[in-house]
Each structure stands twice: as structure tokens, then as C-alpha cells.
Amino acid sequence: MSHDPAPSPSARPLRAGSDPRDEAPQYVLPLVVRIERGAPPARTDALETAARAVLVLLADERAHGDGEWAEAVRNWEDARIRKVVRRARGAEWRRAEALPGITLTGKSAEVRVFPPIPLDGWPKDLAKLQVSGTELDDPEPPVAADRAQPVLWLNPDLEMSAGKAMAQAGHGAQLAWWALSDTERTAWREAGFPLAVRTAAPADWPRLTTAGLPLVRDAGYTEIAPGSCTVAADHPALRRP
């Protein structure tokens, strides 16, 4: 994942040639979505809950300073910013909940986010979970987004599984977080991280991608071509006057 503009050295846009991020130890941020038989969450709620889960972890005191997750978060941010979403139900979900992490609950979705782990160091109870099978739907079309709050706009020209879209929404939320001032971050956190995830109208997408907002550009590990712009992070504080 990469983005424009780049608020930190660990998140420079993709470019040809060597990149120091590729030489660093690679970490991944695991997210697990609960999908019970007969009661799957709504797709949009799952995307929004995943994005909030990423923000809650980034804001958690354990992820900063001498916190127990801080070193793992720093290692993760020094390399390619990877997120992987897996699904669980029943006993699988209960075992996932027993591992260190944070569970976020939306209207219908439950998502647990875990501190970053080495790319080849998944705990066995997470490693056995499936990445596929996150084909979720919205029972009803999502209501129009309130642009007074942050909106993570998905590229209307790309088709992504719900799991892939959850990871991309998480990337977009993270880029918005990085781009904000400390005061703006505090205000967002204290408000409970309100946000919406919506697919942009085709006519609006060019404007969103040229408005100076943080943009997620996928590294192309799964589903879509490398460099594809997947999300525009439209936080009110980041909009041009």
C-alpha cells in the first residue's frame, strides 16, 4: 500500500527501483471479521467497522512510546503497510478473541484487530482462519454519506471482495490519521472515530483523486493491479479551502 501525499517516510508512493521499505522486516496487521452462518454482517458496516478498528489500534496507548505493542507498530510502519482480513465464526472467533487485540462492534459487524505481527509469524489460531469467503452484501443500499464527517471513498471502477475492501478502508483511515494534526486526531478520537465508507460516483472520482486528499495505492499483492488507486480519504480537515 502507498499513498499521496506522504506524511511520513514510511509511506512514500510506490516507485520503480529499490525501496528501503522492502529491505526492512515485513509485518502485517491482522483483522478478523466475525461471519456466523445465517447471520453475516452487512458489507458496508463491516468496512466501516474495520476502518474504525485500525484507528482505535493506532490511537491506543499500547501502540505508543513504551507500550507493549509500540515496537511491533513501529516495525510495521517502517515496512510496507500490509493488512490482512480473515474470517471466523463460532469457536474460531472465541479463540481469536482470546488473543491480544481490540474488538470493534458496528451495527451488525464485529471486527477484531491485533497488533502487527511478522509476515511469516501468524499465531496458529489466526493462521488457520480463511481469507476467502468474505463475500458480503448490503441488505439495503447505504444511505448517502454525511460529508460533515470523514468519508472513505472507494474507487467505483474496481471490484473487490469484502475482505479486500475492508483492508483498503483500513488503509484509507490510517492515511487520514497520519495526515491530521495532533489536535485534529484528538478531536476525531474523542468523537468516537465517526466515518463512512462509500463507493464514489464515477463522475466524482477524478475530482477526489486530484483534490490533495490521501490516496491509497495498492501494492498489488492480491486481487487488483499494482498501483491501483483504491480509496480517497476525504476527512473534512484535509479538504482544500
Side-chain angles (χ1 to χ4, degrees):
M1 182 273 293
S2 179
H3 72 282
D4 301 306
S8 79
S10 64
R12 288 183 292 272
L14 291 171
R15 63 181 185 274
S18 63
D19 190 314
R21 292 175 299 169
D22 294 323
E23 300 170 7
Q26 298 298 302
Y27 278 67
V28 60
L29 186 79
L31 297 106
V32 175
V33 56
R34 185 178 186 180
I35 303 180
E36 297 289 348
R37 283 195 181 99
R43 179 185 174 98
T44 295
D45 189 42
L47 269 59
E48 292 173 349
T49 304
R52 290 192 186 96
V54 171
L55 292 166
V56 168
L57 183 133
L58 291 172
D60 194 285
E61 63 182 11
R62 290 169 288 184
H64 300 276
D66 295 326
E68 60 187 286
W69 298 343
E71 183 177 3
V73 170
R74 286 192 293 269
N75 289 339
W76 172 57
E77 292 182 340
D78 284 342
R80 296 283 183 185
I81 303 300
R82 302 182 191 221
K83 299 177 182 71
V84 172
V85 177
R86 300 191 177 208
R87 61 181 173 88
R89 62 172 177 258
E92 295 173 333
W93 175 257
R94 292 190 292 273
R95 286 192 292 268
E97 279 201 306
L99 298 174
I102 304 169
T103 296
L104 265 287
T105 302
K107 295 176 182 177
S108 63
E110 287 183 80
V111 175
R112 188 163 180 82
V113 61
F114 303 86
I117 57 175
L119 194 59
D120 58 357
W122 285 77
K124 65 178 183 180
D125 285 332
L126 298 184
K128 66 178 63 173
L129 299 177
Q130 296 295 312
V131 175
S132 61
T134 56
E135 290 77 13
L136 302 174
D137 297 309
D138 283 313
E140 299 178 359
V143 299
D146 179 1
R147 293 193 72 249
Q149 296 183 346
V151 184
L152 305 173
W153 295 106
L154 302 177
N155 185 336
D157 297 323
L158 296 177
E159 292 188 8
M160 295 182 281
S161 67
K164 178 71 172 181
M166 288 170 68
Q168 298 302 302
H171 292 336
Q174 183 172 1
L175 299 192
W177 177 256
W178 278 347
L180 295 172
S181 68
D182 288 343
T183 299
E184 292 161 345
R185 289 180 182 181
T186 298
W188 200 10
R189 181 178 66 247
E190 291 181 348
F193 292 120
L195 58 84
V197 179
R198 297 290 186 273
T199 299
D204 291 339
W205 185 245
R207 173 184 58 80
L208 290 166
T209 58
T210 56
L213 299 169
L215 303 176
V216 179
R217 296 189 185 279
D218 192 67
Y221 297 120
T222 61
E223 294 194 25
I224 56 179
S228 298
C229 184
T230 58
V231 178
D234 185 15
H235 191 292
L238 303 178
R239 294 172 190 154
R240 290 172 178 167

